[in-house]
Amino acid sequence: METPTKRPFHKSISSNSFHLRSPSLNSVRLRRIFDLYDANHDSFITVDEISTALKTLGLDTDISDLDSMIKSYIHPGNAGLTYDDFVILHKSINDLLFGMEDLQLPGGNVTEQEESDLTEAFKVFDEDGDGFISATELQMVLGKLGFTEATEMESVKMMISSVDVNHDGQVDFSEFKDMMKALQ
């Protein structure tokens, strides 16, 4: 099967969003996201399914913009993106937004960009802005993302306790950074 020419993602986006840099975690995460977007489980993600998923996350998009961005990633004759197409689209967007981010300072120190990314990611979880991620906050974010772990508070508390070094029942920024470094 002939692979269509992929055009780079040219939409102007200004974001400091955090992304995981671990290839194995990214692969699992992408598969899970693909499966969540594929609402009818036909192994294709259509523009309508992506639009619906983005609206669920509170991100309203113009369907014609979304269609024009995605159609070059869909193989002719397919109803939507296959998982492999989705991975290529994700890589394109990731390279555009975070291409320079993987540069590290000598000695393996956290770069200013990485610190900024971690701060932004922490803010996503710390919904009340108190400087801590509580089990309730983690449960809310996991629920919004469609993770089944969000349905049981005990599972969420176990996630918190696995990184809660000072055993206060919450994750502070330092613990969050250590956890993210360990994932990398």
Side-chain angles (χ1 to χ4, degrees):
M1 177 189 291
E2 172 182 339
T3 302
T5 304
K6 305 294 183 208
R7 67 180 171 83
F9 179 72
H10 289 291
K11 190 142 179 97
S12 175
I13 294 178
S14 169
S15 172
N16 287 331
S17 299
F18 176 77
H19 70 112
L20 294 175
R21 290 172 193 83
S22 167
S24 60
L25 286 175
N26 270 340
S27 178
V28 169
R29 180 180 60 119
L30 281 177
R31 184 75 229 187
R32 191 167 206 161
I33 291 169
F34 182 88
D35 292 342
L36 286 171
Y37 283 6
D38 183 17
N40 63 358
H41 308 292
D42 65 353
S43 298
F44 292 104
I45 298 177
T46 65
V47 172
D48 287 335
E49 287 172 324
I50 291 175
S51 178
T52 300
L54 292 173
K55 283 179 185 171
T56 301
L57 294 171
L59 304 170
D60 286 326
T61 57
D62 182 300
I63 194 127
S64 62
D65 286 344
L66 196 58
D67 182 55
S68 67
M69 178 188 77
I70 292 171
K71 70 181 173 185
S72 67
Y73 291 89
I74 298 173
H75 290 307
N78 285 349
L81 295 168
T82 63
Y83 175 70
D84 291 337
D85 298 334
F86 182 68
V87 170
I88 292 168
L89 172 64
H90 177 268
K91 181 171 177 7
S92 253
I93 293 169
N94 187 58
D95 289 349
L96 177 70
L97 296 176
F98 305 106
M100 297 301 292
E101 188 173 272
D102 291 328
L103 299 176
Q104 292 240 342
L105 296 173
N109 296 330
V110 174
T111 66
E112 191 173 309
Q113 181 63 50
E114 288 172 333
E115 184 80 17
S116 173
D117 289 346
L118 288 169
T119 301
E120 290 301 312
F122 186 81
K123 287 177 185 176
V124 169
F125 290 92
D126 181 19
E127 291 191 335
D128 64 7
D130 68 352
F132 299 95
I133 301 170
S134 68
T136 303
E137 288 171 319
L138 180 58
Q139 184 179 37
M140 287 173 52
V141 172
L142 293 174
K144 286 177 186 176
L145 295 173
F147 287 92
T148 57
E149 292 87 345
T151 59
E152 295 182 26
M153 181 53 88
E154 283 308 309
S155 295
V156 175
K157 286 180 179 177
M158 283 177 52
M159 287 179 198
I160 293 280
S161 68
S162 70
V163 296
D164 183 16
V165 176
N166 64 3
H167 307 291
D168 64 355
Q170 303 180 98
V171 176
D172 62 28
F173 185 64
S174 175
E175 292 165 333
F176 182 78
K177 272 189 358 183
D178 290 344
M179 176 189 71
M180 297 314 292
K181 281 196 245 177
L183 290 175
Q184 292 177 25

